[in-house]
Amino acid sequence: MTNPYATGGRTAPKWARKRYVLPALGLAFLIGVGAGGEDSSAKGDAKPLAAEARPSATVTATVTATPSVEAEPAPTVTVTETETARVKVKVTETVTAEPVEEDYSGGGGSVYYQNCAAARADGATPVHRGDPGYGSHLDRDGDGVGCEWG
């Protein structure tokens, strides 16, 4: 079915209008590229931008500074007053005690347990920090009590 109100001629769709515009833009682009291209025969016609280098005379004036003689300042007289005071000083001797070595990994005394089985065999379990035979290797949880299990 056709539209009864349409005019008699057939109009071109919108995409068909582009068939004139796109070729015209392409032609304008090619003309612009051709006009802007460099012609190899015209190189000798152009004037150089900078003139040729020629030697020239240059005058340079050098000024040498002459040292000026300055007069030495006159010596000044300085008067210093001294005052002597007697002070009584009490000398004391400071005695510093030797620092006590704290062995954090071991306890006191000369007892050493290689493991908890040895401490149990000796009857020393649980071993507390500071007790003879205590060592950090015997304390699993780091609470200061070694061989507290079993």
Side-chain angles (χ1 to χ4, degrees):
M1 183 168 225
T2 60
N3 187 355
Y5 300 106
T7 56
R10 193 170 169 194
T11 60
K14 290 185 180 180
W15 62 267
R17 294 180 200 158
K18 294 179 184 174
R19 68 179 172 194
Y20 297 111
V21 174
L22 291 178
L25 287 175
L27 182 62
F29 177 74
L30 291 175
I31 291 173
V33 169
E38 184 178 333
D39 186 15
S40 62
S41 64
K43 283 187 178 178
D45 296 341
K47 293 182 181 178
L49 293 177
E52 293 181 19
R54 289 183 260 170
S56 62
T58 304
V59 177
T60 305
T62 305
V63 178
T64 305
T66 57
S68 61
V69 177
E70 294 183 17
E72 291 186 22
T76 58
V77 178
T78 304
V79 177
T80 305
E81 293 182 21
T82 57
E83 187 175 312
T84 305
R86 293 192 179 248
V87 178
K88 289 186 179 183
V89 178
K90 183 178 181 181
V91 177
T92 59
E93 183 178 337
T94 303
V95 178
T96 305
E98 291 287 325
V100 178
E101 283 191 34
E102 294 184 24
D103 186 11
Y104 294 105
S105 65
S110 61
V111 179
Y112 175 77
Y113 299 117
Q114 187 168 0
N115 52 30
C116 287
R120 271 194 229 76
D122 197 26
T125 56
V127 184
H128 297 279
R129 184 177 291 142
D131 288 349
Y134 172 82
S136 61
H137 64 283
L138 302 174
D139 191 3
R140 278 187 186 175
D141 52 3
D143 64 348
V145 181
C147 301
E148 58 193 350
W149 59 94

